[in-house]
Amino acid sequence: MAKRKEDNFCSPENAKRPRLEEMEDLTRDGDEDFTNGSSTLTAAEVGIIESIQLRNFMCHSMLGPFKFGSNVNFIVGNNGSGKSAVLTALIVGLGGKAIATNRGSSLKGFVKDGQNSADISITLRNRGDDAYRANVYGDSIVVQQHISMDGSRSFKLKSQTGAVVSAKKEELIAILDHFNIQVDNPVSVLTQEMSKQFLQSKNEGDKYKFFMKATQLEQMKEDYSYIMETKERTKEQISQGEERLIELKRQCLEKEERFENIAELSTMKTNLEYLKHEMAWAVVNEIEKQLNAIRDNIKIGEDRAARLQRKLEEQQARLNEAENKYKDIQDKLEHISQETNARAPECMALKADLAAKKQTYNDAEVLYKCSLSEYKALKKDDEQLCKRIEELKKSADQSLEPERLERQKKISWLKERGKALQDQESSINQEIEQFQQAIEKDKEEHTRIKREELDVKHTLNYNQRQLKELKDSKTDRLKRFGPHVPALLEAIDDAYTRGQFTYKPVGPLGACIHLRDPEHALAIESCLKGLLQAYCCHNHSDERVLQALMRKFYLPGTSRPQIIVSEFRNDMYDVRHRAAYHPDFPTVLTALEIDNAVVANSLIDMRGIETILLIKNNSVARAVMQSQKPPKNCREAFTADGDQVFAGRYYSSEYTRPKFLSRDLDSEISHLENEVENKKAQILSLQHHLSALEKDIKHNEELLRRYQLHYKDLKMKIRKNISEIHELENIEEHQSVDIKTLEDEAQDNKMKMKKAEEKMEQEKEVMENLRSLKVEAESKYNAIKLKVNQLSEQADPLKDELNLADSEVDTQKRGKQHYEEKQKEHLNTLNKKKRELDMKEKELEEKMSQARQICPERIEVKKSASILDKEINRLRQKIQAEHASHGDREEITRQYQEAKEVYLDLDTKVRTLKRFIKLLEKIMTHRYQTYQQFRRCLTLRCKLYFDNLLSQRAYCGKMNFDHKNETLTISVQPGEGNRAAFNDMRALSGGERSFSTVCFILSLWSIAESPFRCLDEFDVYMDMVNRRIAMDMILKMADSQRFRQFILLTPQSMSSLPSSQLIRILRMSDPERGQMTLPFRPVTQEEEENRS
């Protein structure tokens, strides 16, 4: 409970004068029920409270002294008058804790505001045979307690005469134990707050604890627990004693051995000399074994050196073969390249000549076909004219001459009309061809623009993805190497933490390198390419784990980073003897800052970066690599534009800007943003062009459709016109025709035929000549083209072979270097072994010389030198010890006797403790059975008293003790209702519950031992009937127990009490003006129940 705030109800005026209390002794005649049969009982002699006096306690300046009677005492008064302060002072004054009062959590809270300290004085009766140190204290003991503002307190225990006997709390505890006073026992002192909690408690465990504490069974249980803990500690002491016995026994045996070995001193000296002889030759034996082992190792090493030399020679042969193969392929490629370059101008000239001759031939062929068509048409007309003339000559009938003339006239008109229609048809046909050609050309242009648009869109998407990656990499550089890289690296860290990797994989390699010169960024990216995104693993097991992790982040079908498997080394390869060197240009290896040796070694193994030069200028790179002999060990070079330069060839880079190694991110982002904008503008322009082409195509197709319909109509008209002419010409009648006219026309037609034939022959001759020229040009072009293609076909596999040969050369070089390093390392080790052999042989000679001096004849030794050395040291120590004690046999005897006595004494104690534990277990079993029987008796007595007390008001009830679960269930049925239908106390009214609680407390009073009982506001929730019944019950019990003291606090007037000398009423004055009620907010019963 928090510290009380007395400022609200205790003014400074109140502190200046003590409170006046009224004491009233009721000496009226007692009630028959109260005094019947109890007048002969003796009043209490020890442990009851005679008086209490308070100063500056809580909000009261002075209370008391209160003189209490020996039996029943009522403290009555209104709220705030100081009743509870008296009870609180009783608990605190007799050594109780502040929290037990439910009035505060610290003692300093009981000091009145404005004061420095508080004082409590309690007088206890100390008479009769059971008095505590009666010769010292007399008939009463005065307990005075002083409480300071800082919460500390001090005690003074005084005698009846006022003399201070003791100031120790231990003395107070002894007095309380002697009188069996328990201020923290709720049966002895039941405060108002504890009473309220108990009344409203829903916890059956709390009721059980209340019962156990009231009957001191809880103290007994705690004592038993303490005894069992003591037993366990005793067992530990026994265990420690047994361990100590083992050590003492060992010491005793050592002393006994010393005692027995005094006579064996000479024997030990003889044994020591023999052990020295064995030791000398044991050392010789061990050195000889070491020599044999070294000789065996040298022999094995020489064999291995020979094998390494053979392997090195084989590797050199393979390297020479690979270099020769590379040179042969390179020479072949160089020859093919020169031949191809030499034939290129001739091929281009022949191709242009062939195209020109094809065009000339096609033009001549068109002219020839036109002449041929004209000749065939004239020939057909001639045949028709001749046939007509013959028909006319044979005709003898001239009677239908007018009609014939009319038909002839109509035929002539129809032919003129047909010629006009054919001219119109030819014109429209030409228009249709023009439209078709225009549409075809527009469609080809549309297709080309569409492909260009798709290419630009792909480039735009690539640039946008790259732009996003660059922007993301501003916050996380690792995202340059892929959007999944940060998550993949976290997964790698997690897997390494769980122990799935032998060594943590390293990568991406591009994130582990740094440029010394930013201008080399594009060159190094063009050189390393996919290796910048690669990872390194120590072995194939780590590779499989990394592959499994990558499958989580890279979808099937998408490209994954390369994984390089190579044993991790802490040191970088020594490449000084095989690295390229140029005074003006760095290699890729020297142009990079690489902190991790694993990364550097991987790039050396996979790309040979120590042999690749970086030359910024293209022309300088060509001059260095091609115009003269390349620098030593230099295989290739890269320019600042990313171009790759070999000794005999040059490849342009497919990259324009660096993607991974650029340091100027803002510049790269700005450049890409400009590229994106340009591509978007280009796409927009292409889309406009496509739209215009689609409109032209649509317009031309519409015109083509119209002309095709017109052409169709003309065809129908021409066919109809020809049909009419045929009908007129096929009429079988003898017509009179002007034969002369027809013959003239036929003669004119024959002349035209002759000219057309001559013209046709000339054009045919020209065409044939042009054909022969075209065929000759085609054959020449095809021949040169075939040779160029053959050269290209020969070069392609040679290029692949050259790359393979190049890789093979690198592999063989690394293999040779590996064997050279292995040979060098092995030879160093072998020479070291040989030097060690020489040293061991010299050492053997020295040790054998020493051994012969100690023991001339060599003896066979089976023990090792280390074992013999230990035995010699142990025997030497024993001899020294014996020498030290040899002259004092009595001292050795005395030490042996003392060790034996200590051992026997401890052994006796351990045995005694074991018997004690065994007896204690037997006693505890019996005591625990007695405890259970005592608990059953108290439980039964409590039930009987409870039933008896309830029956005085016609109540019936039941108490159920569950000792296993430590719960107490109380059920009460008011009135004469159904006895089977018991109600929980929570279902009762306030008065009924208070009455039932009083019955329970009186039951506990009947079975509990204590010189006094205090009860605060026991009747607060009772009505008048229940209060009267409860009061009668308490008074009746008090009359039956006159040897005990009862202190009851109530706000009631108690005017209805019977007159008796055993009852004393202490009436408190009303609170003084200015003192108000305690500043606690009202608490409802429901809230109180929830809190409890």
Side-chain angles (χ1 to χ4, degrees), residues 946-947 949-958 970-997 999 1023 1025-1026 1029:
F946 185 69
D947 289 340
L949 293 169
L950 285 178
S951 64
Q952 295 183 19
R953 200 186 163 194
Y955 282 26
C956 58
K958 182 171 65 175
I970 300 176
S971 303
V972 177
Q973 175 62 46
E976 294 294 339
N978 182 12
R979 285 181 171 269
F982 292 102
N983 294 329
D984 190 273
M985 289 182 67
R986 291 171 288 184
L988 302 175
S989 65
E992 292 170 343
R993 188 187 305 174
S994 297
F995 172 74
S996 302
T997 303
C999 292
D1023 53 19
V1025 176
N1026 286 318
I1029 293 172

Side-chain angles (χ1 to χ4, degrees), residues 94-330:
L94 293 179
K97 296 180 181 179
I99 196 169
T101 65
N102 293 314
R103 294 281 179 171
S105 59
S106 175
L107 290 174
K108 62 184 179 181
F110 296 125
V111 179
K112 183 180 178 182
D113 286 349
Q115 301 298 323
N116 295 326
S117 62
D119 294 293
I120 303 171
S121 179
I122 302 173
T123 303
L124 300 176
R125 182 172 293 181
N126 189 39
R127 302 175 186 172
D129 297 335
D130 292 331
Y132 179 80
R133 297 175 67 185
N135 58 336
V136 177
Y137 288 99
D139 292 341
S140 62
I141 299 174
V142 180
V143 181
Q144 290 185 351
Q145 184 173 166
H146 181 79
I147 302 174
S148 302
M149 272 297 294
D150 58 358
S152 62
R153 62 180 173 183
S154 59
F155 294 95
K156 285 184 180 180
L157 301 175
K158 297 182 178 181
S159 64
Q160 182 182 10
T161 60
V164 177
V165 177
S166 176
K168 296 181 179 179
K169 188 176 181 180
E170 290 77 8
E171 180 71 7
L172 174 62
I173 293 173
I175 292 171
L176 297 178
D177 289 343
H178 183 80
F179 292 155
N180 200 19
I181 295 174
Q182 307 166 41
V183 292
D184 56 345
N185 190 334
V187 171
S188 296
V189 181
L190 185 61
T191 63
Q192 180 180 349
E193 186 67 23
M194 189 176 294
S195 175
K196 186 187 299 183
Q197 290 178 3
F198 182 71
L199 286 171
Q200 298 176 353
S201 175
K202 299 178 181 180
N203 193 335
E204 296 171 349
D206 292 342
K207 294 185 179 71
Y208 185 84
K209 290 179 181 178
F210 191 87
F211 166 78
M212 294 290 287
K213 196 167 186 180
T215 55
Q216 292 185 285
L217 288 172
E218 183 178 12
Q219 182 63 39
M220 293 176 65
K221 187 177 180 182
E222 290 175 356
D223 292 343
Y224 291 158
S225 298
Y226 175 75
I227 292 171
M228 296 307 292
E229 290 176 1
T230 305
K231 185 186 79 172
E232 293 300 323
R233 288 196 296 271
T234 306
K235 285 184 176 180
E236 289 180 3
Q237 292 177 359
I238 292 172
S239 177
Q240 294 173 359
E242 289 176 341
E243 293 177 359
R244 177 64 178 158
L245 273 176
I246 295 172
E247 179 65 20
L248 288 175
K249 185 175 182 180
R250 184 188 63 80
Q251 294 177 1
C252 185
L253 290 174
E254 287 180 356
K255 300 290 184 183
E256 184 178 2
E257 184 180 2
R258 284 187 62 194
F259 177 75
E260 293 175 352
N261 288 339
I262 293 175
E264 299 177 1
L265 185 59
S266 59
T267 305
M268 286 189 290
K269 289 181 179 179
T270 304
N271 292 338
L272 179 62
E273 287 299 320
Y274 185 74
L275 286 175
K276 287 181 180 179
H277 293 172
E278 285 187 331
M279 180 66 180
W281 289 108
V283 171
V284 173
N285 289 342
E286 289 191 356
I287 294 176
E288 287 177 344
K289 289 179 181 178
Q290 293 174 3
L291 272 174
N292 293 331
I294 293 172
R295 290 191 183 102
D296 293 339
N297 289 336
I298 290 174
K299 185 178 180 182
I300 294 170
E302 289 174 345
D303 294 340
R304 188 182 177 196
R307 289 198 303 272
L308 285 173
Q309 182 62 33
R310 289 195 298 273
K311 287 184 178 180
L312 184 60
E313 292 172 356
E314 293 171 359
Q315 189 68 31
Q316 182 64 47
R318 287 195 291 269
L319 175 59
N320 294 337
E321 182 182 354
E323 288 178 342
N324 293 334
K325 183 178 179 181
Y326 178 82
K327 189 173 182 305
D328 292 342
I329 296 171
Q330 193 175 30

Side-chain angles (χ1 to χ4, degrees), residues 22-28 1053 1063-1067:
E22 297 178 1
M23 297 185 189
E24 181 179 349
D25 291 332
L26 299 181
T27 56
R28 293 167 290 183
S1053 63
I1063 299 175
R1064 178 171 293 183
I1065 297 176
L1066 305 178
R1067 197 175 306 278

